[in-house]
PDB file of all heavy atoms in Angstrom:
ATOM      1  N   GLU A1268     -13.156  69.688 -28.262  1.00 82.00           N
ATOM      2  CA  GLU A1268     -14.391  69.083 -27.770  1.00 82.00           C
ATOM      3  C   GLU A1268     -14.322  68.477 -26.404  1.00 82.00           C
ATOM      4  O   GLU A1268     -13.434  67.613 -26.173  1.00 82.00           O
ATOM      5  CB  GLU A1268     -15.055  68.283 -28.744  1.00 82.00           C
ATOM      6  CG  GLU A1268     -15.509  68.896 -30.101  1.00 82.00           C
ATOM      7  CD  GLU A1268     -14.479  69.003 -31.108  1.00 82.00           C
ATOM      8  OE1 GLU A1268     -13.489  68.323 -30.796  1.00 82.00           O
ATOM      9  OE2 GLU A1268     -14.532  69.661 -32.154  1.00 82.00           O
ATOM     10  N   TYR A1422      -7.882  61.224 -22.514  1.00 86.00           N
ATOM     11  CA  TYR A1422      -8.638  60.818 -23.793  1.00 86.00           C
ATOM     12  C   TYR A1422     -10.055  61.463 -23.699  1.00 86.00           C
ATOM     13  O   TYR A1422     -10.707  61.633 -22.629  1.00 86.00           O
ATOM     14  CB  TYR A1422      -8.657  59.329 -23.803  1.00 86.00           C
ATOM     15  CG  TYR A1422      -7.428  58.699 -23.889  1.00 86.00           C
ATOM     16  CD1 TYR A1422      -6.785  57.950 -22.948  1.00 86.00           C
ATOM     17  CD2 TYR A1422      -6.733  58.769 -25.238  1.00 86.00           C
ATOM     18  CE1 TYR A1422      -5.506  57.378 -23.317  1.00 86.00           C
ATOM     19  CE2 TYR A1422      -5.584  58.262 -25.551  1.00 86.00           C
ATOM     20  CZ  TYR A1422      -4.859  57.518 -24.473  1.00 86.00           C
ATOM     21  OH  TYR A1422      -3.609  56.952 -24.687  1.00 86.00           O
ATOM     22  N   PRO A1423     -10.538  61.748 -24.839  1.00 81.00           N
ATOM     23  CA  PRO A1423     -11.940  62.385 -24.939  1.00 81.00           C
ATOM     24  C   PRO A1423     -13.011  61.292 -24.631  1.00 81.00           C
ATOM     25  O   PRO A1423     -12.733  60.101 -24.726  1.00 81.00           O
ATOM     26  CB  PRO A1423     -12.075  62.858 -26.331  1.00 81.00           C
ATOM     27  CG  PRO A1423     -11.175  62.036 -27.159  1.00 81.00           C
ATOM     28  CD  PRO A1423      -9.955  61.618 -26.176  1.00 81.00           C
ATOM     29  N   GLU A1424     -14.213  61.717 -24.134  1.00 84.00           N
ATOM     30  CA  GLU A1424     -15.317  60.762 -24.088  1.00 84.00           C
ATOM     31  C   GLU A1424     -15.703  60.330 -25.522  1.00 84.00           C
ATOM     32  O   GLU A1424     -15.498  61.048 -26.474  1.00 84.00           O
ATOM     33  CB  GLU A1424     -16.600  61.571 -23.472  1.00 84.00           C
ATOM     34  CG  GLU A1424     -16.215  61.963 -21.987  1.00 84.00           C
ATOM     35  CD  GLU A1424     -16.079  60.792 -21.107  1.00 84.00           C
ATOM     36  OE1 GLU A1424     -16.667  59.773 -21.367  1.00 84.00           O
ATOM     37  OE2 GLU A1424     -15.324  60.849 -20.070  1.00 84.00           O
ATOM     38  N   PRO A1425     -16.524  59.232 -25.526  1.00 85.00           N
ATOM     39  CA  PRO A1425     -16.798  58.672 -26.823  1.00 85.00           C
ATOM     40  C   PRO A1425     -17.616  59.608 -27.583  1.00 85.00           C
ATOM     41  O   PRO A1425     -17.564  59.826 -28.773  1.00 85.00           O
ATOM     42  CB  PRO A1425     -17.599  57.396 -26.543  1.00 85.00           C
ATOM     43  CG  PRO A1425     -17.021  56.931 -25.170  1.00 85.00           C
ATOM     44  CD  PRO A1425     -16.612  58.209 -24.535  1.00 85.00           C
ATOM     45  N   THR A1426     -18.611  60.268 -27.015  1.00 85.00           N
ATOM     46  CA  THR A1426     -19.483  61.372 -27.649  1.00 85.00           C
ATOM     47  C   THR A1426     -18.595  62.520 -28.243  1.00 85.00           C
ATOM     48  O   THR A1426     -18.940  62.956 -29.344  1.00 85.00           O
ATOM     49  CB  THR A1426     -20.560  61.859 -26.722  1.00 85.00           C
ATOM     50  OG1 THR A1426     -19.925  62.417 -25.561  1.00 85.00           O
ATOM     51  CG2 THR A1426     -21.551  60.683 -26.343  1.00 85.00           C
ATOM     52  N   ALA A1427     -17.618  62.857 -27.388  1.00 80.00           N
ATOM     53  CA  ALA A1427     -16.847  63.996 -27.875  1.00 80.00           C
ATOM     54  C   ALA A1427     -15.870  63.589 -29.111  1.00 80.00           C
ATOM     55  O   ALA A1427     -15.706  64.299 -29.936  1.00 80.00           O
ATOM     56  CB  ALA A1427     -15.974  64.631 -26.664  1.00 80.00           C
ATOM     57  N   GLU A1428     -15.444  62.296 -28.962  1.00 79.00           N
ATOM     58  CA  GLU A1428     -14.531  61.801 -30.019  1.00 79.00           C
ATOM     59  C   GLU A1428     -15.399  61.660 -31.253  1.00 79.00           C
ATOM     60  O   GLU A1428     -14.957  61.872 -32.411  1.00 79.00           O
ATOM     61  CB  GLU A1428     -14.022  60.490 -29.622  1.00 79.00           C
ATOM     62  CG  GLU A1428     -12.746  60.066 -30.480  1.00 79.00           C
ATOM     63  CD  GLU A1428     -11.941  59.006 -29.872  1.00 79.00           C
ATOM     64  OE1 GLU A1428     -12.253  58.546 -28.710  1.00 79.00           O
ATOM     65  OE2 GLU A1428     -10.928  58.662 -30.376  1.00 79.00           O
ATOM     66  N   LEU A1429     -16.701  61.211 -31.181  1.00 84.00           N
ATOM     67  CA  LEU A1429     -17.517  61.158 -32.289  1.00 84.00           C
ATOM     68  C   LEU A1429     -17.797  62.516 -32.916  1.00 84.00           C
ATOM     69  O   LEU A1429     -17.678  62.687 -34.173  1.00 84.00           O
ATOM     70  CB  LEU A1429     -18.875  60.446 -31.994  1.00 84.00           C
ATOM     71  CG  LEU A1429     -19.969  60.325 -33.066  1.00 84.00           C
ATOM     72  CD1 LEU A1429     -19.318  59.355 -34.162  1.00 84.00           C
ATOM     73  CD2 LEU A1429     -21.211  59.634 -32.488  1.00 84.00           C
ATOM     74  N   GLU A1430     -18.025  63.513 -32.144  1.00 81.00           N
ATOM     75  CA  GLU A1430     -18.158  64.827 -32.630  1.00 81.00           C
ATOM     76  C   GLU A1430     -16.889  65.232 -33.305  1.00 81.00           C
ATOM     77  O   GLU A1430     -16.895  66.066 -34.379  1.00 81.00           O
ATOM     78  CB  GLU A1430     -18.580  65.813 -31.560  1.00 81.00           C
ATOM     79  CG  GLU A1430     -18.821  67.189 -32.003  1.00 81.00           C
ATOM     80  CD  GLU A1430     -19.315  68.110 -30.910  1.00 81.00           C
ATOM     81  OE1 GLU A1430     -19.465  67.524 -29.711  1.00 81.00           O
ATOM     82  OE2 GLU A1430     -19.363  69.334 -31.162  1.00 81.00           O
ATOM     83  N   MET A1431     -15.740  64.948 -32.773  1.00 78.00           N
ATOM     84  CA  MET A1431     -14.542  65.329 -33.466  1.00 78.00           C
ATOM     85  C   MET A1431     -14.267  64.729 -34.815  1.00 78.00           C
ATOM     86  O   MET A1431     -13.752  65.414 -35.720  1.00 78.00           O
ATOM     87  CB  MET A1431     -13.293  64.797 -32.514  1.00 78.00           C
ATOM     88  CG  MET A1431     -11.911  65.129 -32.933  1.00 78.00           C
ATOM     89  SD  MET A1431     -10.673  64.345 -32.092  1.00 78.00           S
ATOM     90  CE  MET A1431     -10.801  62.517 -32.641  1.00 78.00           C
ATOM     91  N   LEU A1432     -14.825  63.476 -35.001  1.00 80.00           N
ATOM     92  CA  LEU A1432     -14.745  62.801 -36.282  1.00 80.00           C
ATOM     93  C   LEU A1432     -15.637  63.620 -37.371  1.00 80.00           C
ATOM     94  O   LEU A1432     -15.160  63.862 -38.492  1.00 80.00           O
ATOM     95  CB  LEU A1432     -15.217  61.426 -36.167  1.00 80.00           C
ATOM     96  CG  LEU A1432     -14.265  60.517 -35.416  1.00 80.00           C
ATOM     97  CD1 LEU A1432     -14.961  59.116 -35.449  1.00 80.00           C
ATOM     98  CD2 LEU A1432     -13.001  60.368 -36.192  1.00 80.00           C
ATOM     99  N   ASP A1433     -16.679  64.139 -36.809  1.00 76.00           N
ATOM    100  CA  ASP A1433     -17.661  64.921 -37.750  1.00 76.00           C
ATOM    101  C   ASP A1433     -16.994  66.239 -38.088  1.00 76.00           C
ATOM    102  O   ASP A1433     -17.167  66.710 -39.183  1.00 76.00           O
ATOM    103  CB  ASP A1433     -18.988  65.144 -37.100  1.00 76.00           C
ATOM    104  CG  ASP A1433     -19.685  63.741 -36.983  1.00 76.00           C
ATOM    105  OD1 ASP A1433     -19.481  62.745 -37.727  1.00 76.00           O
ATOM    106  OD2 ASP A1433     -20.535  63.655 -36.001  1.00 76.00           O
TER     107      ASP A1433
END
Side-chain angles (χ1 to χ4, degrees):
E1268 292 85 8
Y1422 291 111
E1424 295 293 332
T1426 54
E1428 195 163 5
L1429 180 61
E1430 183 178 355
M1431 181 189 71
L1432 293 177
D1433 295 334

